């Protein structure tokens, strides 16, 4: 059973921006699916269309086989959404935020109150139940939005950048909560521009760039395409030329900085051993580009090679 089917979906905004260009992807029931891409790639637009907040230009979307053009309320009944922007009524008490939301789905009040208690407790904000949403911290507001999205027991939960701007504690808590929810059978789609977040949580990933899906595969297969990482090493002493490390590509960025390219089959340990042998001390080390950027370079190079063939 498909939880979501997105077919030839395109969106052109009034200002002429083509945010989605004939996008296709499907999500199986039970998947934990990442829609991964840099800022401006079209992720929020896609979520907006699926949840009927944004009008599509063309294409179709089905949620558990219900088409959003023809069976919108049925499609919506399957969905829970956590948007990127805080869209809470800031003057509502937290408990009422959930009870009112349940009202939109026709859930009787006693049941609504019970669910509100359950989800506020699960999100660890039950003690804030009588506070106005505006008095919550950023991380708590996000947790309240997750609790609100769960009130209709959605079969498909969509989260747009769920941990953007939240503290580490909230991020960890959110991750373990989402894993558990997925284990219990809820299909989850999240958008993110952190490869690490997708990697931690998701079993499937579609990568979107400039409104087009450039990759759609299991997380394991996609990570397998990450062929190399480039590290920058800061050195204690200055050098005139880049040191030679057998098996590695090196270059000098500045007198006290070298760049080393490391392929998947190589570790970084040999670099340290080899440099120690020639008395070069490393003070610190960092990735030149994020792994996601590296993956993009890899994928777009592959695409170009295919086009040239
Ligand atoms: P993402 O969520 O991946 O960051 P978005 O879907 O927000 O990407 O944006 C995709 C593109 O559409 C961007 O170029 C963005 O500037 C543009 N865009 C988004 N919303 C609007 C809007 N309401 N009007 C015009 N352009 C928009």
């Amino acid at each position: 059973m498909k939880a979501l089917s997105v077919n030839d979906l395109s969106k052109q905004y009034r200002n002429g921006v083509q945010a989605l260009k004939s996008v296709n992807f499907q999500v199986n029931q039970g998947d934990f699916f990442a829609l991964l891409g840099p800022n401006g790639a079209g992720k929020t637009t896609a979520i907006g269309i699926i949840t009927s907040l944004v009008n599509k230009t063309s294409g179709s979307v089905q949620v558990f086989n219900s088409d959003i053009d023809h069976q919108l309320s049925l499609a919506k009944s399957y969905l829970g959404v956590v948007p990127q922007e805080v869209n809470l009524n800031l003057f509502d008490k937290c408990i009422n935020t959930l009870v009112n939301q349940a009202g939109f789905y026709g859930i009787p009040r006693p049941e609504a109150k019970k669910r509100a208690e359950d989800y506020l407790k699960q999100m660890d904000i039950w003690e804030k139940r009588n506070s106005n949403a505006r008095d919550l911290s950023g991380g708590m507001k996000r947790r309240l939005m997750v609790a609100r999205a769960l009130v209709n027991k959605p079969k498909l939960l969509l989260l747009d950048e769920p941990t953007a701007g939240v503290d580490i504690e909230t991020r960890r808590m959110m991750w373990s909560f989402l894993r558990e929810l997925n284990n219990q059978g809820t299909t989850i789609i999240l958008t993110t521009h952190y490869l690490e977040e997708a990697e931690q949580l998701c079993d499937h990933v579609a990568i979107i760039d400039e409104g087009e899906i450039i990759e759609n595969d299991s997380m394991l297969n996609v990570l397998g395409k990450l062929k190399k990482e480039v590290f920058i090493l800061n050195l204690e002493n200055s050098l005139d030329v880049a040191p030679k490390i057998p098996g590695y590509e090196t270059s000098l960025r500045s007198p006290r900085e070298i760049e080393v390219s490391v392929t998947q089959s190589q570790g970084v340990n040999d670099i340290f051993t080899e440099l120690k042998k020639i008395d070069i001390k490393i003070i610190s080390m960092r990735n030149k580009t994020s792994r996601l950027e590296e993956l993009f370079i890899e994928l777009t190079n592959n695409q170009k090679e295919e086009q040239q063939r």
Side-chain angles (χ1 to χ4, degrees):
M1 169 72 118
K2 300 283 174 230
L4 179 70
S5 186
V6 170
N7 314 293
D8 293 325
L9 190 64
S10 292
K11 171 68 185 177
Q12 182 165 28
Y13 284 106
R14 282 211 189 119
N15 60 0
V17 171
Q18 187 78 42
L20 296 175
K21 300 166 189 164
S22 200
V23 161
N24 288 285
F25 66 91
Q26 300 195 319
V27 180
N28 288 323
Q29 181 166 19
D31 262 3
F32 203 140
F33 189 99
L35 193 57
L36 180 70
N39 279 326
K43 304 181 295 293
T44 301
T45 302
I47 298 284
I49 293 172
I50 297 163
T51 56
S52 73
L53 289 172
V54 175
N55 290 324
K56 60 188 162 60
T57 307
S58 59
S60 71
V61 175
Q62 289 94 37
V63 182
F64 286 97
N65 290 340
S66 298
D67 193 291
I68 59 164
D69 286 335
H70 308 296
Q71 298 157 288
L72 182 59
S73 43
L74 190 56
K76 276 178 119 173
S77 72
Y78 298 131
L79 289 176
V81 190
V82 183
Q84 195 178 139
E85 304 290 336
V86 173
N87 68 344
L88 297 162
N89 184 344
L90 296 179
F91 298 97
D92 263 355
K93 284 183 184 172
C94 294
I95 183 111
N96 292 343
T97 301
L98 269 69
V99 172
N100 293 343
Q101 178 81 358
F104 296 134
Y105 290 95
I107 297 163
R109 232 178 140 73
E111 174 64 16
K113 282 187 172 165
K114 191 176 158 295
R115 289 192 195 181
E117 179 172 345
D118 278 356
Y119 293 122
L120 289 176
K121 281 183 175 165
Q122 285 184 45
M123 281 292 124
D124 209 13
I125 44 174
W126 174 240
E127 73 282 10
K128 295 282 180 189
R129 62 192 174 279
N130 291 319
S131 303
N132 285 348
R134 68 169 179 173
D135 296 325
L136 302 185
S137 70
M140 285 177 180
K141 286 192 185 98
R142 186 77 52 158
R143 284 186 262 160
L144 179 60
M145 295 208 295
V146 174
R148 182 185 60 180
L150 294 171
V151 118
N152 60 317
K153 300 202 168 163
K155 287 163 71 155
L156 173 60
L157 181 66
L158 298 162
L159 302 117
D160 196 359
E161 303 268 354
T163 61
V166 304
D167 53 279
I168 291 173
E169 197 190 334
T170 299
R171 175 174 302 180
R172 292 259 156 80
M173 181 238 176
M174 203 90 98
W175 282 3
S176 75
F177 177 79
L178 293 176
R179 270 193 209 107
E180 182 55 33
L181 195 67
N182 179 246
N183 285 340
Q184 287 168 8
T186 308
T187 309
I188 302 180
I189 302 177
L190 60 82
T191 77
T192 182
H193 58 271
Y194 297 120
L195 179 59
E196 287 68 23
E197 180 157 76
E199 199 179 343
Q200 283 286 326
L201 294 172
C202 302
D203 38 45
H204 204 104
V205 58
I207 300 183
I208 184 166
D209 187 31
E210 295 182 7
E212 288 180 275
I213 302 278
I214 59 168
E215 184 63 74
N216 183 355
D217 208 337
S218 72
M219 185 53 95
L220 223 57
N221 285 346
V222 171
L223 289 177
K225 291 176 185 164
L226 191 61
K227 289 193 187 128
K228 64 165 194 189
E229 284 185 78
V230 181
F231 292 98
I232 296 174
L233 310 183
N234 281 78
L235 312 175
E236 192 173 77
N237 298 310
S238 303
L239 296 177
D240 299 327
V241 285
K244 289 207 165 45
I245 311 175
Y248 294 86
E249 249 177 72
T250 56
S251 62
L252 201 62
R253 270 170 72 90
S254 69
R256 288 173 58 186
E257 272 185 330
I258 54 172
E259 248 179 62
V260 187
S261 191
V262 181
T263 63
Q264 242 193 1
S265 55
Q266 295 173 312
V268 287
N269 282 343
D270 287 351
I271 301 176
F272 292 100
T273 320
E274 291 297 323
L275 289 178
K276 205 171 170 196
K277 275 191 208 163
I278 47 175
D279 250 358
I280 294 177
K281 275 204 181 130
I282 302 162
I283 301 172
S284 64
M285 171 172 170
R286 66 179 194 275
N287 276 81
K288 184 181 179 190
T289 44
S290 77
R291 297 169 71 222
L292 179 58
E293 283 170 46
E294 211 55 69
L295 190 57
F296 271 116
I297 295 168
E298 211 58 68
L299 292 174
T300 37
N301 282 347
N302 286 353
Q303 269 188 340
K304 275 184 211 145
E305 276 169 24
E306 265 166 36
Q307 280 162 6
Q308 279 166 2
R309 254 180 240 145

